[in-house]
C-alpha cells in the first residue's frame, strides 16, 4: 500500500452531490418556480402539461402522462395495459424491487428470467422458456442506464401477443439503435426521484406511449378514475405530479443530453484506468448507455470498498440480494441457484460515484484508490 496518502485523507466523495448541479441551475430554477406561488395552481397545471408535451416530443411518441412516482408509472401502465389478477409478468430479478412490486399491485405474479453476465440486463434468450398461457407482459429494465437488447424482446412479445412495459427509471435518454428507450415497447415508465438521471426535487414519474387506450386509462387512473368532472368511471388512485416538480424538471430537461454526455465521459475515464484490474461496464453495439450507475465487477469487492472508505469515497452495492431471494418474494417459491448470473452479480458488483458534475481529478483519485487496493495483494 502506498503511504503518501495524507493529501487524500480529508477528501470526501459521495455517490451523488446534487448541490453542485443546483449551483449551475439556481437562477433558472428559481425563475421557473416563482410564478407558481402566485398562480395558486399547484397540482396538474400548465407546467405539468408542458412537461408532458416536451417529454413526449423528446421520445417522439404521441402521449406522456405524469404520475407521482416511477413505481406508480409501472403500476398504472400495467393496469392500463389490462394486466390483472393471476396473470404472469416476466421481468429480471436483478433490479430495484419497485419493478416487481408493481406487478403484484395489479394481482399478477412476477416471473423472473436470469440476466446476461456482462450487461446485467435481462437475457432475452431465456424469456421464451418462461412463457405460459397466463403470461401477459414483459418488463425489461434498462438497468444502470444500459439499454436492454430490445430487438429480440419485441420479436418474442409480438410472436406471443405480450405487452412490453419498459422500466426506464434509470435510463432517461438512453438509446437502442435509433430509438430512445421508453418509446420501443407499449409503454415506457420513468422515475424522477431526485437521484435519477433526470431528477426532480421530490418524487415524480411519467409514462410514455403511442397507445391511445393506455393513455386514456392512465389519465383517469391517476386521478381517482375521473377527469376534472367528478364523474368517476372506475376506482382509481391519487397519483399526480405537482407544478413545482414539473417546473424543475422542465429546466433540467433542457440539459439532459449534456448531463448524459458528461456521465459517458466520466465512464470512459473510469474504464480507461480500471479495465485491467476489474470488469468494467460494457456497451452493446448500437446502444447508448447513459450511466445512471458506473458498476464494476470484482471478486475482491470487500477490499475495494474498504480502501475507498478509508479515503472518504462512497460506493454502493446495487443490488446485494436479487429479488427471488428477498423475504418479500418468498411466496413465489424460488430458491438459491435458480438465477445463477443474478446471484453471481450480487456478489461481485460495486457502483462508484458518478454524476455529471463529478470532476476528472476525483474520478482519477477513485480509480487510483481501487488500483492501489488491488495491486497490494
Ligand atoms: C427508482 C426505480 C424505480 C421506482 O421509481 P420511484 O420513483 O422511486 O418510485 C423503479 N424501477 C427502477 C429500476 C428504479 O431504479
Amino acid at each position: 500500500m502506498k503511504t503518501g496518502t495524507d493529501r487524500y485523507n480529508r477528501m470526501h466523495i459521495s455517490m451523488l452531490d446534487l448541490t453542485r448541479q443546483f449551483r449551475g441551475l439556481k437562477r433558472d430554477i428559481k425563475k421557473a418556480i416563482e410564478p407558481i406561488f402566485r398562480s395558486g395552481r399547484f397540482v396538474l397545471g400548465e407546467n405539468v402539461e408542458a412537461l408532458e408535451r416536451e417529454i413526449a416530443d423528446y421520445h417522439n411518441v404521441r402521449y406522456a402522462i405524469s404520475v407521482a412516482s416511477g413505481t406508480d408509472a409501472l403500476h398504472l401502465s400495467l393496469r392500463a395495459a389490462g394486466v390483472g389478477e393471476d396473470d404472469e409478468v416476466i421481468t429480471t430479478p436483478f433490479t430495484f424491487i419497485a419493478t416487481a412490486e408493481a406487478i403484484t399491485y395489479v394481482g399478477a405474479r412476477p416471473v423472473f428470467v436470469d440476466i446476461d453476465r456482462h450487461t446485467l440486463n435481462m437475457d432475452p434468450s431465456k424469456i421464451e422458456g418462461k412463457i405460459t398461457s397466463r403470461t401477459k407482459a414483459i418488463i425489461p429494465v434498462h438497468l444502470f442506464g444500459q439499454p436492454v437488447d430490445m430487438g429480440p424482446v419485441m420479436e418474442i412479445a409480438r410472436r406471443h401477443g405480450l405487452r412490453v412495459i419498459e422500466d426506464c427509471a434509470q435510463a432517461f435518454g438512453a438509446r437502442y439503435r435509433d430509438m430512445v428507450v421508453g418509446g420501443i415497447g407499449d409503454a415506457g415508465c420513468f422515475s424522477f426521484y431526485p437521484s435519477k438521471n433526470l431528477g426532480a426535487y421530490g418524487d415524480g414519474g411519467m409514462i410514455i406511449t403511442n397507445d391511445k387506450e393506455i393513455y386514456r386509462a392512465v389519465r383517469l387512473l391517476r386521478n381517482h378514475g375521473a377527469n376534472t368532472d367528478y364523474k368517476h368511471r372506475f376506482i382509481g388512485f391519487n397519483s399526480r405530479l405537482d407544478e413545482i416538480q414539473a417546473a424543475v424538471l422542465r429546466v433540467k430537461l433542457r440539459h439532459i443530453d449534456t448531463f448524459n454526455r458528461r456521465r459517458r465521459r466520466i465512464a470512459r475515464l473510469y474504464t480507461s484506468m480500471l479495465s485491467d484490474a476489474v470488469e468494467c461496464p460494457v456497451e452493446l453495439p448500437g446502444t447508448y448507455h447513459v450511466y445512471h450507475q458506473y458498476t464494476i465487477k470484482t471478486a475482491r469487492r470487500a477490499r475495494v470498498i474498504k480502501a475507498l472508505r478509508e479515503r472518504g469515497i462512497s460506493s454502493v452495492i446495487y443490488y446485494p440480494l436479487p429479488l427471488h431471494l428477498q423475504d418479500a418474494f418468498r411466496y413465489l417459491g424460488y430458491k438459491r441457484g435458480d438465477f445463477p448470473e443474478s446471484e453471481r452479480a450480487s456478489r461481485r458488483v460495486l457502483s462508484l460515484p458518478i454524476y455529471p458534475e463529478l470532476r476528472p481529478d476525483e474520478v482519477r483519485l477513485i480509480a487510483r484508490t481501487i488500483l492501489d487496493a488491488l495491486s497490494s495483494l
Side-chain angles (χ1 to χ4, degrees):
M1 180 71 101
K2 279 185 190 156
T3 49
T5 55
D6 283 354
R7 69 198 166 97
Y8 301 137
N9 281 349
R10 277 185 303 279
M11 201 82 191
H12 179 79
I13 306 177
S14 52
M15 285 298 285
L16 173 63
D17 179 0
L18 288 167
T19 65
R20 290 190 194 179
Q21 186 172 83
F22 179 66
R23 257 177 266 145
L25 301 175
K26 185 160 65 184
R27 283 185 42 187
D28 287 346
I29 286 178
K30 285 184 170 170
K31 204 163 77 194
I33 284 176
E34 177 71 25
I36 297 167
F37 300 115
R38 269 176 278 119
S39 77
R41 176 103 198 240
F42 296 103
V43 175
L44 296 183
E46 63 183 56
N47 277 287
V48 170
E49 274 170 31
L51 178 71
E52 290 174 340
R53 176 75 354 250
E54 288 160 10
I55 285 187
D57 290 347
Y58 181 95
H59 293 90
N60 202 16
V61 299
R62 272 202 279 278
Y63 310 108
I65 317 104
S66 58
V67 291
S69 70
T71 308
D72 282 3
L74 290 162
H75 168 204
L76 298 189
S77 52
L78 283 167
R79 210 170 267 278
V83 179
E85 219 60 47
D86 299 327
D87 290 338
E88 293 175 358
V89 178
I90 292 174
T91 192
T92 165
F94 195 66
T95 176
F96 181 54
I97 191 167
T99 314
E101 278 178 320
I103 296 168
T104 70
Y105 294 165
V106 299
R109 185 180 177 86
V111 173
F112 297 123
V113 299
D114 210 358
I115 56 172
D116 173 81
R117 176 175 295 199
H118 304 290
T119 64
L120 302 176
N121 276 332
M122 165 190 275
D123 181 346
S125 72
K126 294 174 182 153
I127 293 175
E128 265 188 309
K130 302 286 174 144
I131 295 175
T132 72
S133 58
R134 297 186 166 194
T135 310
K136 282 286 161 54
I138 304 172
I139 305 185
V141 181
H142 307 293
L143 196 72
F144 304 149
Q146 161 102 298
V148 172
D149 190 8
M150 289 299 288
V153 173
M154 294 309 295
E155 192 274 319
I156 292 163
R158 238 173 260 130
R159 196 144 35 80
H160 293 269
L162 308 177
R163 310 307 291 267
V164 175
I165 311 281
E166 296 174 70
D167 183 339
C168 312
Q170 303 186 2
F172 197 104
R175 296 199 290 270
Y176 179 78
R177 298 180 188 158
D178 54 352
M179 294 166 287
V180 189
V181 302
I184 304 169
D186 296 277
C189 299
F190 295 88
S191 165
F192 303 132
Y193 184 75
S195 67
K196 304 292 164 107
N197 287 40
L198 179 62
Y201 290 159
D203 277 304
M206 187 78 72
I207 295 156
I208 64 171
T209 185
N210 280 312
D211 185 317
K212 195 165 194 170
E213 285 179 14
I214 290 180
Y215 165 72
R216 284 200 174 135
V218 173
R219 290 268 301 190
L220 296 171
L221 281 166
R222 74 170 174 184
N223 194 39
H224 305 285
N227 285 314
T228 47
D229 55 5
Y230 292 93
K231 304 233 173 81
H232 302 273
R233 288 143 187 89
F234 45 77
I235 304 278
F237 300 87
N238 173 355
S239 184
R240 301 170 299 222
L241 191 66
D242 68 76
E243 282 287 289
I244 292 177
Q245 302 313 330
V248 169
L249 289 164
R250 290 183 69 203
V251 171
K252 291 200 183 187
L253 181 61
R254 300 205 290 268
H255 303 281
I256 188 65
D257 291 336
T258 307
F259 292 159
N260 283 339
R261 271 196 297 274
R262 287 198 199 139
R263 287 176 179 275
R264 288 176 56 81
R265 204 178 307 147
I266 292 164
R268 273 199 301 276
L269 180 53
Y270 268 133
T271 299
S272 71
M273 292 184 70
L274 290 173
S275 61
D276 290 338
V278 299
E279 199 186 324
C280 294
V282 294
E283 290 187 34
L284 294 180
T287 63
Y288 188 84
H289 189 325
V290 293
Y291 294 95
H292 173 64
Q293 298 296 342
Y294 185 88
T295 303
I296 59 170
K297 305 182 200 81
T298 171
R300 293 175 288 172
R301 179 172 69 182
R303 195 183 182 92
V304 171
I305 294 171
K306 181 163 173 287
L308 290 170
R309 194 190 296 125
E310 280 167 4
R311 285 201 182 158
I313 299 165
S314 307
S315 61
V316 180
I317 299 170
Y318 297 122
Y319 295 96
L321 192 63
L323 299 184
H324 68 287
L325 301 179
Q326 298 278 355
D327 285 347
F329 288 117
R330 200 179 299 157
Y331 75 95
L332 294 173
Y334 291 111
K335 59 185 186 313
R336 204 165 284 280
D338 282 349
F339 304 104
E341 292 302 336
S342 300
E343 293 168 29
R344 183 175 190 273
S346 287
R347 290 191 299 269
R348 299 164 70 98
V349 288
L350 186 66
S351 296
L352 306 178
I354 189 164
Y355 52 95
E357 302 77 20
L358 189 66
R359 297 190 310 267
D361 63 294
E362 293 172 312
V363 176
R364 281 191 287 266
L365 172 67
I366 296 164
R368 258 187 280 122
T369 305
I370 295 170
L371 294 174
D372 286 351
L374 295 178
S375 68
S376 59
L377 279 181

